[in-house]
Amino acid sequence: MIRCLRFAVFLALLAPVTFLTAQDAPPALSLEEAIARALAQNFDLQIQSINRESTREFLEIAEASFDPNLSFTTSRSQSQSIQTSTLLDAPQPRSSSYVNRISASKRIVTGATVTANTNLNRSGNNAPNTVLNPSYNSDFSLSVRQPLLQGFGRNYNRAAIERARIGIERANLDFKNSVLTVVRNVEAAYYNLGFAREQLSVRHFSLELAERLLEENTTRRNTGIATDLDVLQGEVNVANARRALLQAEQSVKEREDALLNIIGQGDFDRAPGAVQFSDFTVPPVSVERSFPLALNNSPDFASAKLAIEQVELDVDTARKDRMPNLTVGVAGGYNNRKPEPAESYRELWSGEGYNWTIDMSVSMPFGLKAEKARYRQALLSLTREEKRIEQIEQNLLVQVRTAVRAVEINIESVEISRQATALGQRQFDLERARFDAGISTFRRVQESQEELDNARVSELQARIALRIALADLARLEASSLDRYNIILEE
């Protein structure tokens, strides 16, 4: 659980600023709630989720190549020939037939195709003295065709399924990568909104102070202590404070829109509730600790390793495709002819009518140029992916080193800026007292006020930069999922 930060330096100086009534003010928005909304509504995650679901269908498509293929065919035909007999009462030759065919075929992982067929044919004619008219011919056959070189083997024929399975794993990693990115972006947008609102409070305080100083200068001029120039300087100071306030208000609106856009909330007219920062202790950071975590948990690195597995499948397939196409086929079956369809099928298995065939075919493109080129392409793709994973590992190391340095530097920046704020406050109080005593000028008070404002904003920026640096490091380590108890569905 991430704890947030209090700006204790300003508690004694900044009066709370209320922009809405208690009834109209939206409820406070915690960082955890903002992340939960983003996980449910962010458009990038929704699109990535759809892509992940689409990728799963490739596995169904690949597995379907091993599903049985069923077919049924039926036909009816009739023909009548021209009269050729010299007999006046001889009928014209006429014949008719019905054909019904059922077939089932299935591809198996060795590359073989098994096919079973059965037919029931009826034929008849009007010729006299024809035996078995009409007659029913039935048959059943079973055939197997098995490639022995190209296209042989379990790995070769299941390659498409394995590619699809690995594709699903990579899609899950892509989704995890998107979730980590969204979480980091929500954190940054949340912290930036907090900074913008705190900066707005500083600008409000600066304007109030400038107006009080102008009022005092006007009174001092009326009593003859100050001059018109002092009043003019006060008016310019108030105008500058108002401009800074307007810029701060614009920054708040932009930061609010940025956060709403990330969490997928379409109602931009309703500002997010108050963001909450609480104290937290910065954990010790080091490259030695973070880099192994990044390697073990990085979705990009894991996806690159899976990409190598996919290319290795392509290499194995391309290697076997360089072989000739040698196929052996075996087929056999029974057939029967009877005057009744039931009798024809019942006595089909008696063995009186049968047939069998064994065949072999060989084919090979001359020179196998295309096949050899595809194999070389697959090897080059494998080399490319191996270089890519080395590149990702090196980039991860550089990114982790940069993120760790950013955390360490921002820890120091927070402490330095805190001291600068405390010093600026003391200098402003001293200069104000000197001015009240008549031993300092208004310009010096104005300059010390600007220095104090800048110190306050710098401290805010340093604290926000530290939080964002920690979020960047957590993004690389993929530790933000555990931090926010995010469980991804596989």
Side-chain angles (χ1 to χ4, degrees):
M1 184 71 61
I2 290 186
R3 307 179 191 86
C4 329
L5 146 85
R6 286 183 195 150
F7 300 96
V9 176
F10 309 116
L11 291 181
L13 299 173
L14 301 181
V17 181
T18 303
F19 300 99
L20 299 172
T21 64
Q23 292 78 12
D24 297 331
L29 178 65
S30 67
L31 178 58
E32 292 75 15
E33 183 181 356
I35 291 175
R37 290 187 189 179
L39 295 179
Q41 302 173 168
N42 180 266
F43 288 115
D44 289 338
L45 292 185
Q46 293 181 33
I47 293 172
Q48 190 64 47
S49 179
I50 294 173
N51 292 338
R52 183 171 63 161
E53 292 297 325
S54 177
T55 303
R56 291 175 181 172
E57 301 304 324
F58 286 109
L59 181 59
E60 294 287 333
I61 294 171
E63 290 177 339
S65 64
F66 292 98
D67 290 345
N69 184 35
L70 305 177
S71 64
F72 171 73
T73 304
T74 181
S75 65
R76 175 181 178 179
S77 63
Q78 183 172 330
S79 65
Q80 180 173 291
S81 303
I82 299 174
Q83 176 63 267
T84 59
S85 173
T86 57
L87 298 177
L88 296 178
D89 58 347
Q92 287 181 288
R94 183 185 302 115
S95 63
S96 63
S97 66
Y98 296 87
V99 178
N100 298 291
R101 177 184 177 87
I102 298 177
S103 175
S105 63
K106 178 176 173 56
R107 178 175 167 235
I108 58 179
V109 292
T110 63
T113 301
V114 180
T115 304
N117 293 297
T118 182
N119 295 279
L120 179 62
N121 304 332
R122 178 190 182 279
S123 61
N125 57 66
N126 61 351
N129 301 323
T130 300
V131 180
L132 297 181
N133 187 22
S135 65
Y136 291 87
N137 297 305
S138 62
D139 67 68
F140 174 83
S141 64
L142 182 67
S143 65
V144 180
R145 297 199 65 80
Q146 172 67 61
L148 299 181
L149 295 177
Q150 183 185 126
F152 174 78
R154 176 184 177 88
N155 292 340
Y156 181 95
N157 290 280
R158 285 187 57 86
I161 294 178
E162 291 303 311
R163 287 192 201 97
R165 181 189 60 78
I166 295 173
I168 293 176
E169 294 184 39
R170 295 187 68 187
N172 288 332
L173 289 171
D174 291 341
F175 183 76
K176 177 181 178 181
N177 191 52
S178 297
V179 169
L180 289 170
T181 300
V182 167
V183 170
R184 182 267 171 201
N185 291 341
V186 170
E187 288 182 292
Y190 189 89
Y191 299 146
N192 285 328
L193 176 57
F195 165 74
R197 288 179 173 175
E198 290 290 344
Q199 181 180 237
L200 181 61
S201 297
V202 172
R203 299 309 183 195
H204 269 282
F205 174 77
S206 299
L207 177 58
E208 292 174 3
L209 181 59
E211 289 174 343
R212 288 200 299 267
L213 289 174
L214 174 60
E215 183 180 353
E216 291 178 8
N217 276 354
T218 302
T219 302
R220 292 162 69 92
R221 183 193 62 181
N222 294 337
T223 58
I225 300 176
T227 65
D228 291 340
L229 180 60
D230 293 327
V231 174
L232 179 59
Q233 289 177 339
E235 292 172 348
V236 172
N237 193 31
V238 169
N240 288 333
R242 285 175 179 168
R243 180 181 61 182
L245 178 62
L246 291 175
Q247 293 173 340
E249 289 176 345
Q250 179 184 1
S251 178
V252 168
K253 295 299 182 183
E254 291 174 352
R255 300 299 186 183
E256 288 174 349
D257 287 351
L259 179 59
L260 292 174
N261 186 44
I262 294 174
I263 66 178
Q265 180 175 326
D267 185 7
F268 289 93
D269 294 329
R270 185 171 178 80
V275 297
Q276 302 169 343
F277 294 105
S278 61
D279 295 327
F280 78 108
T281 302
V282 179
V285 297
S286 67
V287 176
E288 292 73 17
R289 173 188 174 276
S290 296
F291 182 58
L293 288 175
L295 279 182
N296 292 333
N297 300 328
S298 169
D300 289 336
F301 190 71
S303 181
K305 291 192 291 185
L306 290 175
I308 289 181
E309 294 184 22
Q310 286 183 315
V311 176
E312 287 174 342
L313 291 172
D314 296 336
V315 170
D316 186 61
T317 300
R319 180 186 298 112
K320 292 182 178 178
D321 283 341
R322 296 179 304 164
M323 300 179 180
N325 189 351
L326 173 61
T327 304
V328 173
V330 178
Y334 295 101
N335 56 78
N336 197 12
R337 183 184 183 194
K338 293 295 179 179
E340 297 294 335
E343 183 182 3
S344 178
Y345 256 115
R346 186 170 56 251
E347 298 184 10
L348 173 65
W349 317 103
S350 64
E352 294 182 3
Y354 66 90
N355 61 80
W356 59 268
T357 303
I358 298 178
D359 68 89
M360 182 181 68
S361 64
V362 181
S363 66
M364 180 181 67
F366 182 77
L368 295 170
K369 292 183 179 179
E371 289 74 13
K372 292 178 181 178
R374 293 189 187 99
Y375 178 62
R376 291 193 297 269
Q377 280 185 329
L379 290 176
L380 290 172
S381 296
L382 180 59
T383 303
R384 181 190 62 209
E385 293 303 322
E386 289 171 347
K387 292 299 180 183
R388 180 170 295 168
I389 199 170
E390 292 177 8
Q391 181 187 35
I392 293 175
E393 183 175 357
Q394 179 174 290
N395 289 341
L396 269 178
L397 176 59
V398 173
Q399 291 169 0
V400 168
R401 289 167 61 89
T402 301
V404 168
R405 282 196 295 265
V407 172
E408 293 172 343
I409 291 173
N410 281 296
I411 290 174
E412 296 296 327
S413 296
V414 168
E415 179 60 24
I416 293 172
S417 61
R418 184 190 64 79
Q419 295 176 4
T421 301
L423 176 61
Q425 183 65 55
R426 293 181 61 186
Q427 289 177 335
F428 174 75
D429 293 340
L430 177 61
E431 202 62 44
R432 176 64 186 274
R434 288 166 57 87
F435 177 75
D436 291 340
I439 58 177
S440 180
T441 64
F442 177 76
R443 188 173 191 83
R444 285 295 305 144
V445 175
Q446 181 183 6
E447 290 173 351
S448 63
Q449 178 197 344
E450 291 176 355
E451 291 173 357
L452 175 58
D453 291 345
N454 292 334
R456 290 170 176 170
V457 174
S458 295
E459 182 178 357
L460 286 170
Q461 289 175 329
R463 293 181 183 276
I464 295 304
L466 174 58
R467 290 181 173 277
I468 294 178
L470 289 170
D472 290 335
L473 184 59
R475 165 68 180 84
L476 294 172
E477 297 174 348
S479 59
S480 49
L481 299 182
D482 293 334
R483 182 181 303 171
Y484 296 108
N485 298 319
I486 300 173
I487 299 176
L488 300 180
E489 178 186 357
E490 296 295 334

